[in-house]
């Protein structure tokens, strides 16, 4: 069951990461987003980090309240 909760947390964290990226990159032109490798790596890894953190948080919360 903890795997299922972790998957839901990962998906939720990924969606939250997409919302954060939308907020952070709203003023960046499309050409720069598509052609600048620094932006791709920096913000791409940020989104994955938020997704992993979301999965971690939900698993820890699940283990705390449903042992």
């Amino acid at each position: 069951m903890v795997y299922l909760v972790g998957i839901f947390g990962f998906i939720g964290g990924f969606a939250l990461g997409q919302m954060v990226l939308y907020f952070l990159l709203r003023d960046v032109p499309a050409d720069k987003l598509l052609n600048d490798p620094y932006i791709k790596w920096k913000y791409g890894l940020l989104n994955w980090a938020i997704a992993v953190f979301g999965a971690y948080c939900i698993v820890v919360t699940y283990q705390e309240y449903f042992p």
Side-chain angles (χ1 to χ4, degrees), residues 49-67:
I50 292 172
V52 169
F53 183 69
Y56 173 76
C57 286
I58 201 75
V59 166
V60 168
T61 303
Y62 176 78
Q63 289 177 344
E64 180 70 28
Y65 292 108
F66 299 104

Side-chain angles (χ1 to χ4, degrees), residues 17-18 35 37 44 47 53 60:
Q18 288 292 306
N35 298 324
N47 195 20
F53 183 69
V60 168

Side-chain angles (χ1 to χ4, degrees), residues 14-55:
F14 195 84
L16 179 65
Q18 288 292 306
M19 287 187 267
V20 168
L21 289 182
Y22 178 75
F23 177 75
L24 291 175
L25 297 173
R26 67 179 180 260
D27 296 328
V28 179
D31 289 344
K32 190 171 182 181
L33 285 175
L34 294 173
N35 298 324
D36 190 0
Y38 175 74
I39 289 177
K40 289 180 184 179
W41 279 101
K42 179 181 176 183
Y43 292 106
L45 289 177
L46 176 66
N47 195 20
W48 287 104
I50 292 172
V52 169
F53 183 69

